[in-house]
Amino acid sequence: MPTPIMKSPLALTDLVDWGVIPTMIEGESRTCGKLLHKGPEGRSECGLWVCTPGKWHCHVTRDEFCHFLEGRCTYVHESGEVIEIEPDTAAFFPQDWKGVCTVHETIKKVYMIR
């Protein structure tokens, strides 16, 4: 089985529409992306994710590592911790992280969920 790779993720145009974020507070953040790999029984996953501006409740159900390539957003943990995201920011969100995400400019990230 060949190793899955994704070259120039910012240049990809063959993205799949993944719909609107279901927990919207303000606006209508739409998502799309490209799956690079999905592990057995869907327990792990990685790919490219794109999200348009809006504000929504966020609940991370499995550990997720993200490298944000483009755009700006703010995550506010339910404890009050504020995480400002800008291009070339890497972040790890542990399982059960809860808070609010506000996407100011369309974000593109590569991610790994386990």
Side-chain angles (χ1 to χ4, degrees):
M1 174 185 199
T3 300
I5 63 168
M6 181 180 291
K7 291 190 178 202
S8 304
L10 288 175
L12 293 177
T13 58
D14 59 338
L15 305 180
V16 175
D17 182 0
W18 290 342
V20 176
I21 298 282
T23 56
M24 293 303 306
I25 299 169
E26 295 173 9
E28 185 180 83
S29 291
R30 296 199 61 82
T31 64
C32 62
K34 183 167 184 153
L35 191 62
L36 179 62
H37 174 76
K38 193 161 194 112
E41 300 173 18
R43 285 190 297 239
S44 65
E45 176 182 314
C46 61
L48 174 71
W49 187 76
V50 179
C51 183
T52 62
K55 182 177 185 177
W56 37 276
H57 293 285
C58 181
H59 177 201
V60 178
T61 58
R62 293 180 286 161
D63 289 345
E64 182 174 356
F65 171 79
C66 308
H67 182 194
F68 293 85
L69 305 171
E70 195 170 83
R72 285 185 329 100
C73 64
T74 304
Y75 287 88
V76 180
H77 187 266
E78 61 188 2
S79 70
E81 175 191 24
V82 176
I83 304 160
E84 296 291 345
I85 301 293
E86 57 188 30
D88 203 22
T89 300
F92 174 74
F93 295 94
Q95 181 176 343
D96 288 326
W97 188 100
K98 292 180 184 175
V100 172
C101 177
T102 303
V103 178
H104 310 290
E105 297 170 4
T106 297
I107 54 174
K108 292 183 181 180
K109 70 178 184 181
V110 288
Y111 69 92
M112 172 67 187
I113 298 171
R114 64 178 173 116

